Amino acid sequence: YLGIQGAGNVVMSNSISSTEHINIQKLEEGNKYALKSTVFEDIWVRVSGPGDNKAVNTQVYIGEWEEFYIDDLGGGRLVFRSAKWNNYLRANGLGDVKTQIE
């Protein structure tokens, strides 16, 4: 489960607690979304740059780095793709969230 554990900290967990409850907010521009913490006020998921193995962390506002597309892979599978950098959120084991291209 994807969790937001305060300012700067996005992690993967094998259980659900309050930090794994995330609001997926539809943005006005295009088919874009932002991922907001339901526990911490004004904390949004962001991707730190283009390419593989970039940090996934948080920001206190929605800008280009905090915008995502939700791509449907079929079979009930969805992925979050950075609208700014065109890379994907990837679970790299428990605790570690990075980016991946393709």
Side-chain angles (χ1 to χ4, degrees):
Y1 302 96
L2 184 68
I4 302 170
Q5 296 185 337
N9 201 8
V10 177
V11 299
M12 291 303 295
S13 174
N14 61 358
S15 62
I16 297 175
S17 70
S18 60
T19 59
E20 282 74 37
H21 293 229
I22 296 172
N23 182 343
I24 301 173
Q25 181 177 329
K26 175 86 168 89
L27 302 177
E28 292 181 14
E29 181 186 336
N31 195 26
K32 296 178 184 176
Y33 297 84
L35 308 177
K36 183 183 187 305
S37 170
T38 61
V39 174
F40 303 101
E41 188 173 336
D42 294 325
I43 297 291
W44 304 88
V45 173
R46 76 175 194 136
V47 171
S48 64
D52 280 329
N53 294 311
K54 297 299 180 184
V56 177
N57 49 35
T58 63
Q59 184 55 276
V60 295
Y61 57 84
I62 301 172
E64 291 180 325
W65 293 21
E66 295 75 35
E67 297 176 348
F68 295 89
Y69 295 112
I70 300 175
D71 295 342
D72 187 347
L73 299 179
R77 298 178 303 150
L78 302 171
V79 295
F80 293 100
R81 178 170 48 94
S82 170
K84 171 73 174 171
W85 308 113
N86 206 39
N87 49 10
Y88 298 89
L89 298 186
R90 177 189 68 191
N92 193 28
L94 289 180
D96 194 14
V97 181
K98 298 287 186 181
T99 62
Q100 174 178 325
I101 53 175
E102 296 192 37

